[in-house]
Amino acid sequence: ATVWWAMKHCLIVDDSRVVRTVAGRIVRDLAFEVSEAGDGAEALKLCRELMPDAILLDWNMPVMNGLDFLRALRREEGGKDPVVVFCTNENDAEHIGEAIRSGKNI
C-alpha cells in the first residue's frame, strides 16, 4: 500500500520534562511525530537538522529562552515555515506584542 501523506513533525521545547512528556502524548495522539528539546539552543540545533512543521514553545527556559529561540529560528533557512505556538504564563500586552513581532503564530 502506498502512503499518500507524510506524518507531520512537532518539536516540543520546554525545560520541564513533565511538560514535554504530557504534551508529547497529546501531540502524538494527533498523529504527529514528536521530538523534544529542553531549551532554545538545543531546539535550534534540532531545527537545523530537520525543520519541524510545528513547535510548541515555552517562554522561560535556561540557556536560550523561547523568544531568543524564535528570533533565531526565523533567521534560519526554512525557519519561517513552522507554526510556532507559545505555551507560557506570560500574558501581559508587552510580552504578547514582543512575541508577535518576533514571528510567533499563536
Side-chain angles (χ1 to χ4, degrees), residues 73-105:
L73 172 73
R74 295 307 193 205
R75 290 190 299 266
E76 293 288 321
E77 183 177 337
K80 294 191 185 331
D81 296 336
V83 173
V84 177
V85 179
F86 262 111
C87 302
T88 182
N89 60 3
E90 299 291 350
N91 61 3
D92 62 80
E94 183 178 334
H95 280 102
I96 294 169
E98 194 171 3
I100 291 170
R101 287 188 297 278
S102 295
K104 74 102 180 163
N105 298 99

Side-chain angles (χ1 to χ4, degrees), residues 62-76:
V63 184
M64 177 187 274
N65 68 37
L67 193 59
D68 289 342
F69 162 78
L70 180 58
R71 289 177 180 143
L73 172 73
R74 295 307 193 205
R75 290 190 299 266
E76 293 288 321

Side-chain angles (χ1 to χ4, degrees), residues 13-48:
V13 188
D14 199 297
D15 56 327
S16 167
R17 184 180 314 266
V18 172
V19 169
R20 293 193 315 265
T21 299
V22 171
R25 287 182 186 153
I26 293 167
V27 173
R28 281 183 187 92
D29 285 348
L30 297 171
F32 278 81
E33 178 181 331
V34 173
S35 56
E36 300 178 9
D39 62 64
E42 183 182 354
L44 196 55
K45 181 181 176 199
L46 291 174
C47 288
R48 288 175 177 151

